[in-house]
Amino acid sequence: MAKLGPGAVVGGLTLGAVAVIGLLAFQANGAASRAVAAPSASSAAPSAAAPESARPSVPPLPAESGSGPRVVLALQAQQVWLVDPKKPEPVVAAFKVVPGNTLPAAGTYTVTSRTASGTGTDGRQIEHVVRFAQQSGTVFGFSALVDERAPAPSVDPGTRTGGIRASRADGQALWDFAPNGTRVVVVA
């Protein structure tokens, strides 16, 4: 058997280490890709493989929410559903929201305008603004805070706020789902 010099041994060990690191990086990249492709917690259709206890608890769609494609807002539950009956799972997404200090009246509306970004009535930077109603001078619409950690500026307690805040991911889903003219059904 031939005797290997110290350089060959170090080179062989280095080559082996690089191969192991490459394999680990490849496996980690595959895990990251699977994590990105996994449905979010706000997804309305839980995975068939997920145990019942691990599935997110989404309240059932209110019976009085109408039919056809629509955004449904339940005021008391502070819950939104994005509904498209043409899909295999009609509830495309469902998520919690935080309404402002003024609530819209129950009824059926349509999305009247959208703004990619701006400043809310509370002075905070918002994005994915989807407006659907105006009542007694208060504009109602969905939005998401650009920076949820930013401190809220002091706002006059008499200011009526009609913004209905969602998380950034849920705000993006609503923005993608609800162009101008989309029905918004508000239930108690």
Side-chain angles (χ1 to χ4, degrees), residues 42 71 73 78-82 93-100 124-130 141-148 162-175:
S42 65
V71 175
L73 167 62
Q78 297 185 352
Q79 179 78 34
V80 168
W81 295 263
L82 306 180
F95 47 88
K96 289 291 199 181
V97 292
V98 178
R124 299 175 85 181
Q125 293 301 304
I126 56 176
E127 65 183 0
H128 302 124
V129 182
V130 177
F142 302 100
S143 64
L145 289 172
V146 171
D147 183 359
E148 294 174 345
I164 301 162
R165 298 279 166 79
S167 71
R168 288 189 86 183
D170 294 334
Q172 177 72 55
L174 198 144
W175 174 265

Side-chain angles (χ1 to χ4, degrees), residues 24-183:
L24 292 173
F26 176 77
Q27 289 174 336
N29 185 36
S33 296
R34 285 188 302 278
V36 168
S40 72
S42 65
S43 173
S47 167
E52 192 66 36
S53 61
R55 294 181 186 169
S57 175
V58 176
L61 184 64
E64 69 275 19
S65 72
S67 61
R70 64 202 181 277
V71 175
V72 177
L73 167 62
L75 297 173
Q76 288 183 358
Q78 297 185 352
Q79 179 78 34
V80 168
W81 295 263
L82 306 180
V83 183
D84 184 352
K86 294 178 185 169
K87 302 278 185 179
E89 290 293 329
V91 175
V92 187
F95 47 88
K96 289 291 199 181
V97 292
V98 178
N101 64 16
T102 307
L103 300 175
T108 301
Y109 306 91
T110 58
V111 173
T112 56
S113 68
R114 297 162 28 107
T115 305
S117 63
T119 303
T121 52
D122 62 359
R124 299 175 85 181
Q125 293 301 304
I126 56 176
E127 65 183 0
H128 302 124
V129 182
V130 177
R131 294 176 204 84
F132 62 89
Q134 182 171 352
Q135 298 166 356
S136 302
T138 301
V139 176
F140 295 97
F142 302 100
S143 64
L145 289 172
V146 171
D147 183 359
E148 294 174 345
R149 296 169 300 170
S154 86
V155 176
D156 178 357
T159 300
R160 296 168 54 102
T161 59
I164 301 162
R165 298 279 166 79
S167 71
R168 288 189 86 183
D170 294 334
Q172 177 72 55
L174 198 144
W175 174 265
D176 293 341
F177 182 84
N180 285 343
T182 302
R183 274 190 319 125

